[in-house]
Amino acid sequence: MSIRLRIVQGRPAGKSMVFPRGEYVFGRGAECHVRPNSDWVSRQHCLLRVTAEGAFLRDLGSRNGTLINGTRLVDECHLQHGDQLQIGPLVFEVLLGEPAADPAPVTLEAPSGPASPDKDTAAMRAVDTEEIEALQAQAKQPHPAAPSTPPAAPWVPAAKQR
């Protein structure tokens, strides 16, 4: 069995991720398999387990919680087709047994253990690095309407002392 999570709120909306059998940690930590870039997401936020029996989700003690259909997750939950899963600002729709409408869904490999920052999250880190470098280059470019040097402050004589 595999599960597909389609992003319905957040970026990139409409994109899908396919998860074959295995366990996947969502969070900001380098050891996580899926790393949303948001302060609303804990370092280790939740765990998705995909087995022959179905897909299960468990919150890992996150500060802001994990929501299933608008309800905060307390215990492990068996996911159903059409469930809405919220992790921080991202909302996913759970799609089971449905062909991908997304022309190129991201398929994650089943993990053999905890995520490795050098292997499992390298692609995500590369995207983050490219975005940061682009922003830094943009910040170095002078704004066309901005003067190259700040205007001099007007000279004001000091008050006479008595």
Side-chain angles (χ1 to χ4, degrees), residues 68-115:
I68 303 289
N69 300 321
T71 304
R72 190 170 183 145
L73 187 61
V74 178
D75 294 320
E76 186 170 80
C77 175
H78 187 185
L79 297 174
Q80 304 296 320
H81 182 78
D83 280 348
Q84 298 279 311
L85 161 63
Q86 183 170 352
I87 301 169
L90 295 175
V91 179
F92 300 92
E93 181 180 16
V94 175
L95 302 170
L96 302 173
E98 192 175 289
D102 185 357
V106 176
T107 302
L108 293 152
E109 293 180 20
S112 56

